[in-house]
PDB file of all heavy atoms in Angstrom:
ATOM      1  N   ALA A   1       0.828  -1.197   0.000  1.00  0.00           N
ATOM      2  CA  ALA A   1       0.000   0.000   0.000  1.00  0.00           C
ATOM      3  C   ALA A   1       0.871   1.260   0.000  1.00  0.00           C
ATOM      4  O   ALA A   1       0.347   2.367  -0.007  1.00  0.00           O
ATOM      5  CB  ALA A   1      -0.940  -0.009   1.199  1.00  0.00           C
ATOM      6  N   GLY A   2       2.184   1.072   0.004  1.00  0.00           N
ATOM      7  CA  GLY A   2       3.094   2.215  -0.017  1.00  0.00           C
ATOM      8  C   GLY A   2       3.222   2.892   1.334  1.00  0.00           C
ATOM      9  O   GLY A   2       3.668   4.029   1.420  1.00  0.00           O
ATOM     10  N   LEU A   3       2.828   2.205   2.388  1.00  0.00           N
ATOM     11  CA  LEU A   3       2.895   2.772   3.729  1.00  0.00           C
ATOM     12  C   LEU A   3       4.264   2.473   4.344  1.00  0.00           C
ATOM     13  O   LEU A   3       4.946   1.537   3.947  1.00  0.00           O
ATOM     14  CB  LEU A   3       1.759   2.212   4.579  1.00  0.00           C
ATOM     15  CG  LEU A   3       0.364   2.435   3.975  1.00  0.00           C
ATOM     16  CD1 LEU A   3      -0.690   1.679   4.759  1.00  0.00           C
ATOM     17  CD2 LEU A   3       0.034   3.916   3.920  1.00  0.00           C
ATOM     18  N   LEU A   4       4.656   3.290   5.291  1.00  0.00           N
ATOM     19  CA  LEU A   4       6.031   3.244   5.790  1.00  0.00           C
ATOM     20  C   LEU A   4       6.292   2.234   6.901  1.00  0.00           C
ATOM     21  O   LEU A   4       7.425   1.844   7.117  1.00  0.00           O
ATOM     22  CB  LEU A   4       6.431   4.641   6.286  1.00  0.00           C
ATOM     23  CG  LEU A   4       6.375   5.742   5.236  1.00  0.00           C
ATOM     24  CD1 LEU A   4       6.701   7.091   5.873  1.00  0.00           C
ATOM     25  CD2 LEU A   4       7.313   5.438   4.084  1.00  0.00           C
ATOM     26  N   ASP A   5       5.276   1.816   7.609  1.00  0.00           N
ATOM     27  CA  ASP A   5       5.491   1.043   8.833  1.00  0.00           C
ATOM     28  C   ASP A   5       5.385  -0.473   8.666  1.00  0.00           C
ATOM     29  O   ASP A   5       5.068  -1.181   9.624  1.00  0.00           O
ATOM     30  CB  ASP A   5       4.503   1.509   9.906  1.00  0.00           C
ATOM     31  CG  ASP A   5       4.758   2.942  10.348  1.00  0.00           C
ATOM     32  OD1 ASP A   5       5.891   3.429  10.186  1.00  0.00           O
ATOM     33  OD2 ASP A   5       3.816   3.575  10.856  1.00  0.00           O
ATOM     34  N   HIS A   6       5.672  -1.003   7.482  1.00  0.00           N
ATOM     35  CA  HIS A   6       5.476  -2.434   7.251  1.00  0.00           C
ATOM     36  C   HIS A   6       6.362  -3.316   8.121  1.00  0.00           C
ATOM     37  O   HIS A   6       6.031  -4.466   8.369  1.00  0.00           O
ATOM     38  CB  HIS A   6       5.693  -2.782   5.776  1.00  0.00           C
ATOM     39  CG  HIS A   6       7.112  -2.661   5.343  1.00  0.00           C
ATOM     40  ND1 HIS A   6       7.666  -1.452   4.975  1.00  0.00           N
ATOM     41  CD2 HIS A   6       8.093  -3.577   5.236  1.00  0.00           C
ATOM     42  CE1 HIS A   6       8.930  -1.637   4.649  1.00  0.00           C
ATOM     43  NE2 HIS A   6       9.210  -2.926   4.800  1.00  0.00           N
ATOM     44  N   ASP A   7       7.476  -2.799   8.591  1.00  0.00           N
ATOM     45  CA  ASP A   7       8.383  -3.624   9.387  1.00  0.00           C
ATOM     46  C   ASP A   7       8.126  -3.540  10.895  1.00  0.00           C
ATOM     47  O   ASP A   7       8.790  -4.224  11.666  1.00  0.00           O
ATOM     48  CB  ASP A   7       9.826  -3.245   9.085  1.00  0.00           C
ATOM     49  CG  ASP A   7      10.126  -1.786   9.382  1.00  0.00           C
ATOM     50  OD1 ASP A   7       9.181  -0.981   9.452  1.00  0.00           O
ATOM     51  OD2 ASP A   7      11.318  -1.446   9.533  1.00  0.00           O
ATOM     52  N   LEU A   8       7.143  -2.750  11.319  1.00  0.00           N
ATOM     53  CA  LEU A   8       6.888  -2.590  12.752  1.00  0.00           C
ATOM     54  C   LEU A   8       6.106  -3.736  13.387  1.00  0.00           C
ATOM     55  O   LEU A   8       6.412  -4.114  14.519  1.00  0.00           O
ATOM     56  CB  LEU A   8       6.180  -1.259  13.027  1.00  0.00           C
ATOM     57  CG  LEU A   8       7.009  -0.009  12.702  1.00  0.00           C
ATOM     58  CD1 LEU A   8       6.214   1.242  13.048  1.00  0.00           C
ATOM     59  CD2 LEU A   8       8.347  -0.019  13.414  1.00  0.00           C
ATOM     60  N   PRO A   9       5.090  -4.325  12.733  1.00  0.00           N
ATOM     61  CA  PRO A   9       4.408  -5.461  13.373  1.00  0.00           C
ATOM     62  C   PRO A   9       5.388  -6.626  13.558  1.00  0.00           C
ATOM     63  O   PRO A   9       6.074  -7.036  12.617  1.00  0.00           O
ATOM     64  CB  PRO A   9       3.300  -5.825  12.391  1.00  0.00           C
ATOM     65  CG  PRO A   9       3.095  -4.599  11.570  1.00  0.00           C
ATOM     66  CD  PRO A   9       4.442  -3.954  11.476  1.00  0.00           C
ATOM     67  N   THR A  10       5.465  -7.122  14.788  1.00  0.00           N
ATOM     68  CA  THR A  10       6.413  -8.172  15.121  1.00  0.00           C
ATOM     69  C   THR A  10       5.662  -9.324  15.766  1.00  0.00           C
ATOM     70  O   THR A  10       4.861  -9.123  16.672  1.00  0.00           O
ATOM     71  CB  THR A  10       7.482  -7.626  16.094  1.00  0.00           C
ATOM     72  OG1 THR A  10       8.083  -6.471  15.503  1.00  0.00           O
ATOM     73  CG2 THR A  10       8.544  -8.659  16.374  1.00  0.00           C
ATOM     74  N   LEU A  11       5.925 -10.526  15.289  1.00  0.00           N
ATOM     75  CA  LEU A  11       5.293 -11.733  15.826  1.00  0.00           C
ATOM     76  C   LEU A  11       6.197 -12.328  16.902  1.00  0.00           C
ATOM     77  O   LEU A  11       7.371 -12.596  16.660  1.00  0.00           O
ATOM     78  CB  LEU A  11       5.064 -12.748  14.705  1.00  0.00           C
ATOM     79  CG  LEU A  11       4.521 -14.112  15.096  1.00  0.00           C
ATOM     80  CD1 LEU A  11       3.151 -13.988  15.749  1.00  0.00           C
ATOM     81  CD2 LEU A  11       4.453 -15.022  13.879  1.00  0.00           C
ATOM     82  N   PHE A  12       5.650 -12.505  18.088  1.00  0.00           N
ATOM     83  CA  PHE A  12       6.348 -13.149  19.193  1.00  0.00           C
ATOM     84  C   PHE A  12       5.646 -14.466  19.479  1.00  0.00           C
ATOM     85  O   PHE A  12       4.434 -14.573  19.320  1.00  0.00           O
ATOM     86  CB  PHE A  12       6.282 -12.270  20.454  1.00  0.00           C
ATOM     87  CG  PHE A  12       6.905 -10.917  20.275  1.00  0.00           C
ATOM     88  CD1 PHE A  12       6.115  -9.829  19.938  1.00  0.00           C
ATOM     89  CD2 PHE A  12       8.262 -10.734  20.447  1.00  0.00           C
ATOM     90  CE1 PHE A  12       6.680  -8.572  19.773  1.00  0.00           C
ATOM     91  CE2 PHE A  12       8.837  -9.483  20.283  1.00  0.00           C
ATOM     92  CZ  PHE A  12       8.043  -8.400  19.948  1.00  0.00           C
ATOM     93  N   HIS A  13       6.424 -15.469  19.884  1.00  0.00           N
ATOM     94  CA  HIS A  13       5.812 -16.753  20.232  1.00  0.00           C
ATOM     95  C   HIS A  13       6.627 -17.448  21.314  1.00  0.00           C
ATOM     96  O   HIS A  13       7.836 -17.222  21.440  1.00  0.00           O
ATOM     97  CB  HIS A  13       5.669 -17.659  19.000  1.00  0.00           C
ATOM     98  CG  HIS A  13       6.963 -17.935  18.302  1.00  0.00           C
ATOM     99  ND1 HIS A  13       7.749 -19.001  18.632  1.00  0.00           N
ATOM    100  CD2 HIS A  13       7.595 -17.280  17.312  1.00  0.00           C
ATOM    101  CE1 HIS A  13       8.828 -19.013  17.853  1.00  0.00           C
ATOM    102  NE2 HIS A  13       8.757 -17.962  17.050  1.00  0.00           N
ATOM    103  N   ALA A  14       5.940 -18.258  22.076  1.00  0.00           N
ATOM    104  CA  ALA A  14       6.610 -19.039  23.114  1.00  0.00           C
ATOM    105  C   ALA A  14       7.570 -20.018  22.440  1.00  0.00           C
ATOM    106  O   ALA A  14       7.395 -20.393  21.276  1.00  0.00           O
ATOM    107  CB  ALA A  14       5.575 -19.779  23.955  1.00  0.00           C
ATOM    108  N   GLU A  15       8.578 -20.430  23.197  1.00  0.00           N
ATOM    109  CA  GLU A  15       9.593 -21.335  22.641  1.00  0.00           C
ATOM    110  C   GLU A  15       9.006 -22.652  22.146  1.00  0.00           C
ATOM    111  O   GLU A  15       9.508 -23.237  21.192  1.00  0.00           O
ATOM    112  CB  GLU A  15      10.674 -21.618  23.687  1.00  0.00           C
ATOM    113  CG  GLU A  15      11.559 -20.436  23.965  1.00  0.00           C
ATOM    114  CD  GLU A  15      12.640 -20.757  24.983  1.00  0.00           C
ATOM    115  OE1 GLU A  15      12.897 -21.961  25.244  1.00  0.00           O
ATOM    116  OE2 GLU A  15      13.234 -19.812  25.512  1.00  0.00           O
ATOM    117  N   ASP A  16       7.940 -23.105  22.784  1.00  0.00           N
ATOM    118  CA  ASP A  16       7.355 -24.397  22.409  1.00  0.00           C
ATOM    119  C   ASP A  16       6.232 -24.267  21.375  1.00  0.00           C
ATOM    120  O   ASP A  16       5.526 -25.236  21.110  1.00  0.00           O
ATOM    121  CB  ASP A  16       6.849 -25.134  23.646  1.00  0.00           C
ATOM    122  CG  ASP A  16       5.751 -24.379  24.374  1.00  0.00           C
ATOM    123  OD1 ASP A  16       5.642 -23.149  24.189  1.00  0.00           O
ATOM    124  OD2 ASP A  16       5.006 -25.015  25.147  1.00  0.00           O
ATOM    125  N   VAL A  17       6.084 -23.088  20.769  1.00  0.00           N
ATOM    126  CA  VAL A  17       5.033 -22.857  19.776  1.00  0.00           C
ATOM    127  C   VAL A  17       5.681 -22.555  18.430  1.00  0.00           C
ATOM    128  O   VAL A  17       6.558 -21.704  18.331  1.00  0.00           O
ATOM    129  CB  VAL A  17       4.118 -21.684  20.199  1.00  0.00           C
ATOM    130  CG1 VAL A  17       3.117 -21.362  19.108  1.00  0.00           C
ATOM    131  CG2 VAL A  17       3.419 -22.015  21.500  1.00  0.00           C
ATOM    132  N   ASP A  18       5.237 -23.255  17.413  1.00  0.00           N
ATOM    133  CA  ASP A  18       5.706 -23.012  16.046  1.00  0.00           C
ATOM    134  C   ASP A  18       4.617 -22.262  15.288  1.00  0.00           C
ATOM    135  O   ASP A  18       3.573 -22.843  14.978  1.00  0.00           O
ATOM    136  CB  ASP A  18       6.008 -24.335  15.351  1.00  0.00           C
ATOM    137  CG  ASP A  18       6.519 -24.166  13.926  1.00  0.00           C
ATOM    138  OD1 ASP A  18       6.651 -23.020  13.450  1.00  0.00           O
ATOM    139  OD2 ASP A  18       6.792 -25.198  13.292  1.00  0.00           O
ATOM    140  N   PRO A  19       4.827 -20.969  14.989  1.00  0.00           N
ATOM    141  CA  PRO A  19       3.779 -20.206  14.319  1.00  0.00           C
ATOM    142  C   PRO A  19       3.483 -20.671  12.892  1.00  0.00           C
ATOM    143  O   PRO A  19       2.451 -20.326  12.336  1.00  0.00           O
ATOM    144  CB  PRO A  19       4.292 -18.765  14.348  1.00  0.00           C
ATOM    145  CG  PRO A  19       5.741 -18.857  14.611  1.00  0.00           C
ATOM    146  CD  PRO A  19       5.981 -20.147  15.308  1.00  0.00           C
ATOM    147  N   THR A  20       4.372 -21.478  12.311  1.00  0.00           N
ATOM    148  CA  THR A  20       4.091 -22.002  10.971  1.00  0.00           C
ATOM    149  C   THR A  20       3.074 -23.136  11.009  1.00  0.00           C
ATOM    150  O   THR A  20       2.492 -23.478   9.984  1.00  0.00           O
ATOM    151  CB  THR A  20       5.370 -22.497  10.266  1.00  0.00           C
ATOM    152  OG1 THR A  20       5.935 -23.575  11.008  1.00  0.00           O
ATOM    153  CG2 THR A  20       6.385 -21.377  10.120  1.00  0.00           C
ATOM    154  N   THR A  21       2.869 -23.717  12.206  1.00  0.00           N
ATOM    155  CA  THR A  21       1.887 -24.796  12.334  1.00  0.00           C
ATOM    156  C   THR A  21       0.737 -24.411  13.264  1.00  0.00           C
ATOM    157  O   THR A  21      -0.071 -25.269  13.625  1.00  0.00           O
ATOM    158  CB  THR A  21       2.553 -26.085  12.856  1.00  0.00           C
ATOM    159  OG1 THR A  21       3.107 -25.829  14.150  1.00  0.00           O
ATOM    160  CG2 THR A  21       3.625 -26.573  11.902  1.00  0.00           C
ATOM    161  N   ALA A  22       0.674 -23.136  13.635  1.00  0.00           N
ATOM    162  CA  ALA A  22      -0.409 -22.642  14.492  1.00  0.00           C
ATOM    163  C   ALA A  22      -1.516 -22.070  13.616  1.00  0.00           C
ATOM    164  O   ALA A  22      -1.290 -21.133  12.851  1.00  0.00           O
ATOM    165  CB  ALA A  22       0.115 -21.567  15.447  1.00  0.00           C
ATOM    166  N   PHE A  23      -2.692 -22.662  13.719  1.00  0.00           N
ATOM    167  CA  PHE A  23      -3.854 -22.241  12.939  1.00  0.00           C
ATOM    168  C   PHE A  23      -4.986 -21.918  13.898  1.00  0.00           C
ATOM    169  O   PHE A  23      -5.191 -22.634  14.873  1.00  0.00           O
ATOM    170  CB  PHE A  23      -4.304 -23.351  11.988  1.00  0.00           C
ATOM    171  CG  PHE A  23      -3.277 -23.701  10.948  1.00  0.00           C
ATOM    172  CD1 PHE A  23      -2.277 -24.621  11.219  1.00  0.00           C
ATOM    173  CD2 PHE A  23      -3.308 -23.106   9.695  1.00  0.00           C
ATOM    174  CE1 PHE A  23      -1.329 -24.942  10.263  1.00  0.00           C
ATOM    175  CE2 PHE A  23      -2.370 -23.422   8.733  1.00  0.00           C
ATOM    176  CZ  PHE A  23      -1.375 -24.341   9.017  1.00  0.00           C
ATOM    177  N   LEU A  24      -5.724 -20.861  13.617  1.00  0.00           N
ATOM    178  CA  LEU A  24      -6.879 -20.510  14.441  1.00  0.00           C
ATOM    179  C   LEU A  24      -8.188 -20.932  13.795  1.00  0.00           C
ATOM    180  O   LEU A  24      -9.206 -21.026  14.461  1.00  0.00           O
ATOM    181  CB  LEU A  24      -6.903 -19.002  14.712  1.00  0.00           C
ATOM    182  CG  LEU A  24      -5.684 -18.452  15.459  1.00  0.00           C
ATOM    183  CD1 LEU A  24      -5.837 -16.954  15.681  1.00  0.00           C
ATOM    184  CD2 LEU A  24      -5.495 -19.173  16.781  1.00  0.00           C
ATOM    185  N   VAL A  25      -8.164 -21.169  12.497  1.00  0.00           N
ATOM    186  CA  VAL A  25      -9.357 -21.583  11.755  1.00  0.00           C
ATOM    187  C   VAL A  25      -8.997 -22.827  10.960  1.00  0.00           C
ATOM    188  O   VAL A  25      -8.025 -22.826  10.210  1.00  0.00           O
ATOM    189  CB  VAL A  25      -9.846 -20.469  10.805  1.00  0.00           C
ATOM    190  CG1 VAL A  25     -11.014 -20.941   9.965  1.00  0.00           C
ATOM    191  CG2 VAL A  25     -10.216 -19.219  11.584  1.00  0.00           C
ATOM    192  N   ALA A  26      -9.774 -23.883  11.142  1.00  0.00           N
ATOM    193  CA  ALA A  26      -9.550 -25.116  10.388  1.00  0.00           C
ATOM    194  C   ALA A  26     -10.458 -25.128   9.163  1.00  0.00           C
ATOM    195  O   ALA A  26     -11.608 -24.688   9.239  1.00  0.00           O
ATOM    196  CB  ALA A  26      -9.853 -26.326  11.259  1.00  0.00           C
ATOM    197  N   PRO A  27      -9.946 -25.607   8.052  1.00  0.00           N
ATOM    198  CA  PRO A  27     -10.817 -25.728   6.881  1.00  0.00           C
ATOM    199  C   PRO A  27     -11.929 -26.722   7.154  1.00  0.00           C
ATOM    200  O   PRO A  27     -11.774 -27.630   7.982  1.00  0.00           O
ATOM    201  CB  PRO A  27      -9.895 -26.222   5.776  1.00  0.00           C
ATOM    202  CG  PRO A  27      -8.659 -26.678   6.432  1.00  0.00           C
ATOM    203  CD  PRO A  27      -8.611 -26.098   7.816  1.00  0.00           C
ATOM    204  N   PRO A  28     -13.060 -26.581   6.488  1.00  0.00           N
ATOM    205  CA  PRO A  28     -14.161 -27.522   6.713  1.00  0.00           C
ATOM    206  C   PRO A  28     -13.736 -28.951   6.358  1.00  0.00           C
ATOM    207  O   PRO A  28     -12.966 -29.159   5.433  1.00  0.00           O
ATOM    208  CB  PRO A  28     -15.268 -27.026   5.791  1.00  0.00           C
ATOM    209  CG  PRO A  28     -14.654 -26.022   4.889  1.00  0.00           C
ATOM    210  CD  PRO A  28     -13.347 -25.592   5.483  1.00  0.00           C
ATOM    211  N   THR A  29     -14.246 -29.896   7.123  1.00  0.00           N
ATOM    212  CA  THR A  29     -13.879 -31.290   6.877  1.00  0.00           C
ATOM    213  C   THR A  29     -14.931 -32.038   6.074  1.00  0.00           C
ATOM    214  O   THR A  29     -14.702 -33.166   5.663  1.00  0.00           O
ATOM    215  CB  THR A  29     -13.656 -32.019   8.212  1.00  0.00           C
ATOM    216  OG1 THR A  29     -14.844 -31.921   8.989  1.00  0.00           O
ATOM    217  CG2 THR A  29     -12.482 -31.423   8.974  1.00  0.00           C
TER     218      THR A  29
END
């Protein structure tokens, strides 16, 4: 969008959590 603050949002996670495998919504089964 041409906005300046794209690098400010930072993802933090606990050591035992992998954000690449953390999902909040599951696809329908």
Side-chain angles (χ1 to χ4, degrees):
L3 304 172
L4 300 176
D5 294 337
H6 69 277
D7 59 340
L8 295 181
T10 305
L11 175 61
F12 300 95
H13 58 90
E15 289 181 16
D16 62 339
V17 174
D18 181 0
T20 62
T21 61
F23 297 86
L24 299 181
V25 176
T29 58

